[in-house]
Amino acid sequence: MIIATAGHVDHGKTTLVRALTGVDTDRLDEEKRRGMTIDLGFAYSGPLGFVDVPGHERFVRNMLAGVAGIDLALLVVAADDGPMPQTLEHLAILALLGVPRLVVALSKIDRVPPDRAAEAGREVAALLADGPYAGAPLFPVAASVGTGLPALRQHLDAAAQALAARPAAGQFRMAIDRSFTLAGAGRIVTGVVLAGRVQVGDAVLLSPAGVPARVRGLQAQNQPAESAQAGQRCALNLAGPELKRAEPQRGDWVVAAAAHAPSDRLDVQLTVLASAPGPLPQRSALQLHLGAAALNARVAGLDLSGGAALAPGSVGLAQLLLDRPVSAVHGDRFILRDPAANRTLAGGWVVDPFGPARGRSRPVRLAQLAALARPDPAQALADLLAQSSDGVDLARFARGRNLRPDEAEPLHQALALRPVAGDSGPLGLAEVHWQDWRARVLAALDRWHAEQPDSLGPHAPALRLALGLTAGQPASQAPARAVLQAMLAALVDEGLLARDGLRHRRAAHRAALAEADRALLDRVNALLQPAGLRPPIVGELATQLGLPLPLLVDFLGRMAGRGLLVRVAPNRFYLPEGVAALVAQALALAAESDDGSLDAAGYRDRTGIGRNLTVQVLEFLDREGLTRFDGVRHRPAC
């Protein structure tokens, strides 16, 4: 069990820990010289691990670095002073961080008469009465002479015995609160494992920098071990060639590679302390403490009208805009302080670590946050699926909740969602929305055929327009386009649709052409089909058909408008199946490369169509949105 001390300066926290464990947690020369804890100290005794924190108001930042992931807080209040300013602030911090249990040590009872000790106990009980720690057990102690220590120790041991082991769920995450080097060992980092499990030999990342490392050795609860898991204090001996370049610091994280997803916008549930001196102004610059990190953040309220501020005692949604990325997941607790006034103002927990830059206060986004705020991931995902007609980004959801694949997949199966391949990862679609998409696509094609019976069918831009998918930014339309593509493929597999080149049509539909147009198209097809991937240019076609060039150009343009031919270049037309072959060659070539891309030289050699036509074809594929050109190579768009 991990226990953190709390309380006002000079109330005897370090003395009490030394009396309980035999360890002096004041390790710095300055601490010993001044007789005051400045930085975190650590001590172990049996099943108990203690984090001794500073009590002075100037070192609250260090105190906050030591209380992430603790099981119990030991609030130390001196009987002669009673509750003091840092007692109140530390207590507020513990409540905002959701520390589940509190024990009070009423210290220095040997320095006051019994009636004063009793009065101090009543003061503490009154202080706790209206908060989450009402009725917390109180133990009068005098650490210097041992009074009351057996009873306190017995209570802490019993609490440790009753504490259920935290499940080692999720990807491994550990917040670094100390980082140093040892001769012969190298880099050591310590902290509380907040999620998952780590073992010797594991590959990990330092986050947010993304620097790779390997776990060369570890200690769990101050003992050599082969592995450590959530709920344990851990020391990791890290190795890796890049550690010297990016030296880990307090506030960094050690995480499994899949858990590395830094963000500089956090959507949060925020609680403003009733003791705050006034409302929290929008965009106010504060200091954020999350894990063991301290960084600057601006606060923007989300569910407030106009420019209203978060008032003292209020609870609401907000977005934190950070001055640098931080590693965070759903449920991570944090504190906000005013660095100028050196006081705690608010705190809360992360709802979504990937807050959007635009539309963060729109009703649709607030509805998403209401779903994401649900503590049960299955219910949160179910609510998101219900309101997301274009699907839910499953990889993003799993990262935000810190779910391993073996934890996420059962959720997908239980909810019977439809998986869809998206540009940035798999999307999940509720069955009701899948069926709605199905009906909409079929209805759009039926309308198209009724209104344009001489057309083969719509190409992708026209179909998206018919479905109302052209509004908004390209990035916001990406999920809908991915769902549309998946639906079209499914309907082709069902036999309800057919695909000809870049066009889709009802399987039974045939373009209704005038007899003369049908006859000429048959003659054109007879020349294009044997030419394969290199059809003749328009001038050659006119000569072979014995037609005036302007007349043929007009005809080919009309046929391309109907989807019966495809104009790939100004003077080159393909059959729909020829375009399908061009696309297939590009996708196959990209799939064979190490980075999933292709270049002009490789495509030219693959198809044998020559350099100039290769350039025209690749430009066509980019123009149609089938590939994307990054300035060097072409990549499939989906």
Side-chain angles (χ1 to χ4, degrees):
M1 182 170 71
I2 307 299
I3 302 168
T5 61
H8 197 75
V9 64
D10 200 31
H11 276 204
K13 297 184 294 297
T14 301
T15 302
L16 179 58
V17 171
R18 183 168 60 244
L20 289 170
T21 67
V23 177
D24 184 359
T25 55
D26 280 348
R27 54 190 172 79
L28 303 177
D29 291 340
E30 185 179 357
E31 290 177 316
K32 296 183 184 301
R33 185 173 62 253
R34 297 172 63 178
M36 180 175 68
T37 299
I38 295 173
D39 203 357
L40 303 176
F42 306 95
Y44 298 87
S45 178
L48 307 179
F50 290 86
V51 183
D52 187 28
V53 307
H56 197 283
E57 63 176 353
R58 297 204 327 252
F59 306 115
V60 170
R61 174 172 177 169
N62 291 345
M63 175 266 182
L64 283 160
V67 294
I70 65 171
D71 301 302
L72 181 146
L74 181 59
L75 180 67
V76 182
V77 181
D80 50 357
D81 285 339
M84 296 287 283
Q86 290 313 119
T87 309
L88 304 180
E89 184 171 20
H90 283 199
L91 194 58
I93 288 170
L94 296 173
L96 288 171
L97 292 177
V99 174
R101 287 171 292 279
L102 182 83
V103 172
V104 180
L106 186 64
S107 65
K108 303 185 180 183
I109 62 169
D110 55 331
R111 300 189 183 184
V112 298
D115 58 343
R116 171 53 199 160
E119 182 183 2
R122 289 192 293 273
E123 291 171 356
V124 173
L127 176 64
L128 301 178
D130 294 330
Y133 304 119
L138 183 146
F139 294 87
V141 297
S144 59
V145 296
T147 304
L149 295 185
L152 174 59
R153 176 61 195 243
Q154 183 179 11
H155 179 84
L156 295 177
D157 285 341
Q161 288 280 339
L163 182 67
R166 292 191 205 174
Q171 305 283 0
F172 170 68
R173 300 176 72 230
M174 187 185 90
I176 298 175
D177 53 37
R178 289 183 68 202
S179 175
F180 53 93
T181 58
L182 284 179
R187 177 59 56 181
I188 307 292
V189 295
T190 72
V192 175
V193 181
L194 296 184
R197 179 184 178 89
V198 66
Q199 61 186 25
V200 175
D202 279 356
V204 293
L205 286 179
L206 288 173
S207 191
V211 174
R214 178 178 57 84
V215 179
R216 183 159 60 185
L218 67 82
Q219 288 187 350
Q221 298 295 102
N222 206 38
Q223 297 296 320
E226 288 298 311
S227 65
Q229 67 179 49
Q232 294 181 314
R233 270 203 67 81
C234 180
L236 300 180
N237 181 194
L238 298 180
E242 298 187 51
L243 287 178
K244 290 183 179 179
R245 175 182 63 81
E247 188 173 293
Q249 304 288 335
R250 172 179 290 177
D252 291 341
W253 293 75
V254 185
V255 300
H260 173 64
S263 171
D264 60 3
R265 290 177 182 269
L266 309 178
D267 284 348
V268 303
Q269 180 82 16
L270 188 66
T271 299
V272 183
L273 291 177
S275 59
L280 224 60
Q282 294 272 28
R283 302 281 179 158
S284 55
L286 300 174
Q287 190 170 67
L288 169 70
H289 297 266
L290 187 150
L295 59 156
N296 297 325
R298 288 178 292 123
V299 182
L302 297 183
D303 54 354
L304 304 171
S305 58
L310 287 163
S314 66
V315 179
L317 292 170
Q319 185 172 95
L320 304 182
L321 295 84
L322 315 183
D323 66 347
R324 57 184 170 87
V326 68
S327 287
V329 300
H330 171 90
D332 279 355
R333 294 277 182 161
F334 65 88
I335 295 293
L336 287 173
R337 304 189 81 240
D338 181 347
N342 197 22
R343 67 184 300 164
T344 300
L345 299 178
W349 55 278
V350 176
V351 178
D352 184 2
F354 310 116
R358 296 182 178 87
R360 58 177 175 255
S361 296
R362 291 176 181 170
V364 64
R365 176 58 183 169
L366 296 181
Q368 290 174 352
L369 288 175
L372 288 167
R374 287 189 173 271
D376 177 29
Q379 188 60 62
L381 183 55
D383 286 2
L384 283 177
L385 288 167
Q387 62 186 253
S388 304
S389 61
D390 297 341
V392 174
D393 186 329
L394 299 178
R396 175 177 170 144
F397 180 83
R399 285 195 303 271
R401 289 274 172 162
N402 193 34
L403 300 175
R404 299 191 309 263
D406 63 309
E407 296 167 333
E409 187 56 36
L411 296 183
H412 305 165
Q413 294 177 0
L415 295 170
L417 55 80
R418 290 267 186 168
V420 171
D423 287 349
S424 59
L427 300 172
L429 205 68
E431 183 64 26
V432 62
H433 294 311
W434 179 260
Q435 294 302 329
D436 179 63
W437 269 94
R438 187 177 190 274
R440 289 169 59 204
V441 169
L442 291 175
L445 282 164
D446 287 342
R447 287 195 303 273
W448 182 278
H449 293 327
E451 294 168 2
Q452 304 182 55
D454 58 347
S455 168
L456 182 64
H459 61 355
L463 184 54
R464 289 196 295 267
L465 180 63
L467 292 168
L469 302 183
T470 56
Q473 298 293 323
S476 67
Q477 289 295 306
R481 293 188 179 197
V483 175
L484 175 58
Q485 181 176 332
M487 177 55 67
L488 291 171
L491 291 171
V492 169
D493 289 343
E494 289 181 44
L496 294 176
L497 299 185
R499 178 169 183 168
D500 293 305
L502 303 181
R503 306 257 178 164
H504 283 85
R505 59 178 173 82
R506 279 287 206 163
H509 173 75
R510 298 293 182 272
L513 296 178
E515 185 175 342
D517 283 347
R518 172 60 65 186
L520 181 52
L521 181 61
D522 288 343
R523 294 177 63 198
V524 171
N525 288 351
L527 294 174
L528 295 181
Q529 196 162 24
L533 298 182
R534 191 179 175 86
I537 60 175
V538 175
E540 294 172 349
L541 276 178
T543 300
Q544 295 176 36
L545 293 169
L547 294 175
L549 183 60
L551 186 151
L552 180 61
V553 168
D554 176 71
F555 173 78
L556 295 176
R558 287 191 292 112
M559 294 302 102
R562 293 170 169 80
L564 300 169
L565 296 173
V566 181
R567 190 170 199 159
V568 170
N571 66 344
R572 191 95 61 169
F573 288 79
Y574 278 74
L575 294 173
E577 55 265 33
V579 171
L582 292 174
V583 174
Q585 294 282 18
L587 297 179
L589 190 59
E592 294 168 7
S593 70
D594 292 336
D595 64 352
S597 68
L598 67 147
D599 61 13
Y603 192 74
R604 176 201 63 204
D605 296 342
R606 178 74 169 234
T607 59
I609 60 177
R611 180 183 179 279
N612 291 338
L613 183 53
T614 290
V615 171
Q616 292 178 324
V617 167
L618 291 178
E619 289 177 346
F620 167 78
L621 297 179
D622 291 339
R623 194 165 57 247
E624 291 294 320
L626 299 167
T627 56
R628 294 190 299 265
F629 185 53
D630 62 12
V632 179
R633 296 175 67 83
H634 302 261
R635 300 178 184 278
C638 53

